[in-house]
Amino acid sequence: MVEFRFEVKARDAAGRIGKLSVNGKTIETPAIMPVVNPKQLIVTPKELEDIGFGMIITNSYIIYKTPELREKALELGIHGLLDYDGIIEVDSGSFQLMRYGDVEVTNREIIEFQEKIGVDIGTFLDIPTPPDTPRERAARDLEITLERAKEAEMLKNIAMNAAVQGSTYPDLRTYAAKKLSKMNFEIHPIGAVVPLMESYRYKDLVDVVIASKLGLRPDRPVHLFGAGHPMIFALAVAMGIDLFDSASYALYAKDDRYLTPEGTKRLEELEYFPCSCPVCSRYTPQELREMPKEERTRLLAIHNLWVIREELNRVKQAIKEGTLWELVDERARSHPKLYSAYKRLLEYRDYLEKNEPVTKASAFFEVSEEALRWPIAQRAKERAECVKSKFPETIEHPIFGRIPKYLSLSYPFAQSEGEEDFTIERPGKGEARDYIMAIAEYQFGEGAGEAFKDAFVELSRKTGMPRQIKAKGKHLATFRAEDGLLTLGIEGAKRLHKVLPFPRMRVVVNSDAEPFAKRGKNVFAKFVVDADPSIRPYDEVLVVNEKDELLATGQTLLNGEELKLFQSGLAVKVRRGVGG
């Protein structure tokens, strides 16, 4: 029985903080698995665990082909062999196949061996086709990979990777992703991309990743094989990558190279360490240079691991704060090829918009020309144009141009910073209802304003801003001070349910969840049977049963497509149920 769960906890751009559980062991994603060479341990797996790496990757083919290691692994299991209690993923020998052209093991043999030694996540023997391979060969290799995937699916009794291949042909990547998504696998690595990263072809990497993501199920984690330099983490996570692995920490250390979030420096170039990790706070560059090679390599490897861990934490904090695009923008300027990749990513508007939250904890900062191409800015301008047809009175915004006056209190228009200040106008006498109706149109779509046409809006005595929205003595909604959008009460949800045709803003749950939703309990993904495809992360939604009877209202963490596919985790944080 495969024990595997993946759920989303927070998100920004197409990135997400997730919870991945395998065989009773849990890590938070995005996460990196340091590569452990079982023949040469510069940093031991136990030390990796102590530093905070709850997942590692090693090579089952090397263990299989080394008699002493093979015997020990079969006797003690992979966790005993490596003395590591966390999650252990293994490669199958595909990397050796790409590097050397051949391996001495069959797909069946390596899968069965992985199971015997008790790995947590296995990998079948796919064919990694390098970049720029002739299309005919890439297509042929891909068909072999898909045949081996079918064999693995029949054989496997453990959680398993199914790598997306297809060289540098986006259509082959999408085709492979769609085929593998229909099979019973847990994680999807994007394979054969190390040569792209080694040659700084980050723009091509973006094309490969997005082509793969377009075909993959969104409820499965995606692993970027061989990516481990911290300068790429923010961009990769913004594309939708959940897992990384790399031996870079050790390989760079052997070459006296020192990792930073902006790039790599040679130890000989450094007079000061720009870091406060346990290594850099104890030694100077000169002291490290004077050490014996083996000791220096080990200490540099530990520093490199700290920098990798720190940058991933920085990325996760940016997701929590809603500032991932700002971090991507900053990191992209550390290398011209990375900057080019960042601009290429912004060309994938539809993919990005589908995953972009509708509101964020942080204000919108116009940090660069690219900021106006971020999906939150593009969506805001498009929705504002739609609102103009009913609320034509406009004002000039220094970042977004002419916007409807009655959206001037709402995200991102009011919560933005650019070169010029934007003065927020408080509602004039008798205007507050128009603000609420315009915000409803902007937030819930065309026709939503009708639900509030007879509303009375209470204004704060202190600030003059809208607060509670009522009608006929009943609470309809709350105007949120932090982003100027609406949180629905149950009466407001009932009105919205009447004016918006099915399936607009609906999350449909099965009969098992119905009584709980009515009582105001949260809705979990496994109980969702349908959803409006236009729902975006952090939208306020209507929870209904299969007869379209209103049950509750709340905020969703997932977009419309994800709501239908995820089987783990929270789907809607319910605020109010019809039963109180």
Side-chain angles (χ1 to χ4, degrees):
M1 180 72 178
V2 176
E3 293 180 39
F4 185 93
R5 284 169 55 87
F6 178 66
E7 58 187 276
V8 173
K9 293 293 190 180
R11 58 198 307 161
D12 194 21
R16 50 200 187 177
I17 293 175
K19 181 180 173 184
L20 189 155
S21 302
V22 192
N23 299 331
K25 292 165 281 193
T26 298
I27 61 161
E28 187 178 75
T29 62
I32 186 166
M33 303 165 244
V35 173
V36 172
N37 183 338
K39 285 183 164 183
Q40 188 180 25
L41 298 175
I42 293 175
V43 181
T44 68
K46 198 70 179 170
E47 288 172 312
L48 291 172
E49 195 168 11
D50 291 341
I51 292 171
F53 294 96
M55 187 174 183
I56 60 173
I57 185 169
T58 192
N59 194 303
S60 62
Y61 179 67
I62 290 175
I63 297 169
Y64 179 84
K65 288 296 293 176
T66 308
E68 183 185 349
L69 291 174
R70 178 176 176 165
E71 199 172 303
K72 263 182 131 178
L74 288 169
E75 179 190 349
L76 303 174
I78 188 76
H79 293 84
L81 173 72
L82 297 178
D83 187 25
Y84 181 79
D85 296 327
I87 299 168
I88 298 180
E89 179 176 312
V90 293
D91 192 9
S92 59
S94 295
F95 183 77
Q96 283 74 14
L97 188 61
M98 182 170 71
R99 284 289 195 228
Y100 310 118
D102 192 27
V103 288
E104 297 173 12
V105 70
T106 66
N107 189 41
R108 175 183 283 270
E109 285 168 345
I110 202 67
I111 292 167
E112 290 177 345
F113 178 67
Q114 290 170 8
E115 187 178 338
K116 283 176 187 173
I117 63 175
V119 307
D120 294 301
I121 301 166
T123 304
F124 67 83
L125 192 62
D126 56 281
I127 308 292
T129 312
D132 310 315
T133 297
R135 184 183 175 87
E136 187 179 336
R137 183 193 150 190
R140 187 171 65 248
D141 285 355
L142 179 54
E143 288 308 318
I144 296 171
T145 289
L146 293 174
E147 283 301 316
R148 292 182 179 181
K150 290 176 188 172
E151 181 181 40
E153 187 183 24
M154 289 188 293
L155 290 171
K156 80 184 200 62
N157 294 300
I158 55 174
M160 186 161 281
N161 287 314
V164 178
Q165 300 292 353
S167 186
T168 33
Y169 301 98
D171 61 318
L172 291 184
R173 292 279 183 173
T174 304
Y175 168 77
K178 286 180 178 177
K179 287 285 188 182
L180 293 169
S181 286
K182 293 176 182 175
M183 299 184 197
N184 180 27
F185 291 104
E186 284 70 34
I187 298 175
H188 292 292
I190 298 174
V193 292
V194 170
L196 293 177
M197 291 182 282
E198 288 177 339
S199 54
Y200 294 91
R201 292 173 59 182
Y202 297 130
K203 191 158 76 167
D204 292 328
L205 179 68
V206 169
D207 290 337
V208 164
V209 169
I210 300 300
S212 303
K213 288 286 293 185
L214 288 172
L216 286 172
R217 293 174 59 112
D219 58 332
R220 295 177 184 174
V222 178
H223 173 179
L224 191 60
F225 257 153
H229 198 298
M231 69 187 288
I232 201 173
F233 289 162
L235 180 74
V237 170
M239 289 192 278
I241 297 298
D242 304 293
L243 295 166
F244 301 87
D245 79 273
S246 182
S248 64
Y249 72 96
L251 297 174
Y252 286 161
K254 286 180 185 177
D255 198 27
D256 281 349
R257 289 195 283 173
Y258 177 98
L259 286 181
T260 77
E262 297 83 20
T264 311
K265 297 184 182 295
R266 292 200 170 274
L267 184 60
E268 65 196 43
E269 301 168 347
L270 292 170
E271 289 190 42
Y272 309 97
F273 282 142
C275 172
S276 299
C277 77
V279 174
C280 297
S281 57
R282 185 174 176 185
Y283 302 99
T284 67
Q286 184 64 28
E287 287 171 335
L288 241 62
R289 285 193 288 268
E290 291 171 356
M291 285 181 183
K293 173 69 175 173
E294 189 174 330
E295 187 179 356
R296 182 172 69 247
T297 298
R298 174 179 162 72
L299 289 172
L300 278 174
I302 290 171
H303 157 79
N304 291 342
L305 286 163
W306 275 89
V307 171
I308 285 168
R309 181 173 172 267
E310 183 184 68
E311 181 67 3
L312 273 178
N313 283 341
R314 189 176 288 115
V315 169
K316 288 192 280 191
Q317 185 63 30
I319 291 173
K320 281 282 190 181
E321 293 174 356
T323 59
L324 183 54
W325 281 117
E326 283 91 333
L327 183 59
V328 172
D329 194 278
E330 179 185 338
R331 291 289 179 257
R333 282 161 168 74
S334 64
H335 196 286
K337 296 294 179 68
L338 204 57
Y339 180 56
S340 179
Y342 166 43
K343 291 194 288 185
R344 173 59 65 89
L345 176 58
L346 292 173
E347 293 175 17
Y348 290 97
R349 285 182 56 181
D350 291 347
Y351 167 74
L352 293 172
E353 191 280 328
K354 183 173 66 175
N355 292 287
E356 181 85 359
V358 297
T359 185
K360 305 195 182 194
S362 173
F364 174 88
F365 292 102
E366 190 188 15
V367 295
S368 66
E369 288 182 14
E370 284 74 31
L372 284 175
R373 296 175 58 202
W374 295 346
I376 194 74
Q378 297 275 0
R379 179 200 288 150
K381 289 191 285 187
E382 289 166 5
R383 289 191 178 187
E385 280 300 314
C386 295
V387 172
K388 278 183 190 176
S389 61
K390 288 190 179 177
F391 299 91
E393 188 177 351
T394 62
I395 59 172
E396 185 67 26
H397 192 284
I399 298 174
F400 296 97
R402 297 212 68 82
I403 64 166
K405 173 184 175 181
Y406 301 130
L407 295 181
S408 63
L409 305 179
S410 298
Y411 184 84
F413 308 114
Q415 300 78 13
S416 61
E417 290 287 341
E419 288 185 18
E420 299 176 39
D421 291 335
F422 176 60
T423 303
I424 298 173
E425 294 184 21
R426 272 39 176 188
K429 202 168 184 180
E431 285 186 314
R433 185 188 299 159
D434 290 332
Y435 275 89
I436 299 306
M437 290 179 69
I439 291 166
E441 294 278 327
Y442 176 80
Q443 186 175 350
F444 302 112
E446 187 180 357
E450 287 295 304
F452 301 94
K453 64 183 179 182
D454 61 341
F456 168 73
V457 182
E458 290 182 358
L459 300 180
S460 166
R461 290 181 182 177
K462 190 174 182 179
T463 66
M465 298 287 277
R467 283 296 173 258
Q468 301 303 322
I469 299 108
K470 301 178 179 178
K472 300 174 183 175
K474 293 183 177 179
H475 175 255
L476 303 184
T478 301
F479 175 91
R480 298 198 297 248
E482 65 270 19
D483 63 3
L485 298 176
L486 304 179
T487 295
L488 293 172
I490 203 64
E491 292 301 321
K494 287 176 180 177
R495 284 173 166 233
L496 208 59
H497 183 259
K498 284 181 182 177
V499 300
L500 296 181
F502 183 87
R504 286 266 300 283
M505 303 311 294
R506 265 79 155 180
V507 176
V508 185
V509 299
N510 65 20
S511 57
D512 291 339
E514 185 170 339
F516 298 98
K518 279 183 176 180
R519 295 203 302 271
K521 304 294 183 183
N522 289 338
V523 170
F524 290 89
K526 65 181 179 179
F527 299 110
V528 176
V529 294
D530 201 3
D532 175 6
S534 69
I535 287 172
R536 297 294 177 253
Y538 300 144
D539 255 329
E540 297 290 321
V541 295
L542 308 173
V543 179
V544 301
N545 63 17
E546 293 179 80
K547 297 176 184 175
D548 192 30
E549 295 169 333
L550 183 68
L551 306 174
T553 181
Q555 186 181 52
T556 179
L557 189 60
L558 307 175
N559 68 32
E561 180 188 0
E562 292 167 337
L563 282 162
K564 290 188 279 188
L565 290 172
F566 265 82
Q567 292 299 304
S568 299
L570 185 66
V572 181
K573 184 179 180 181
V574 170
R575 301 189 194 276
R576 300 281 187 277
V578 294

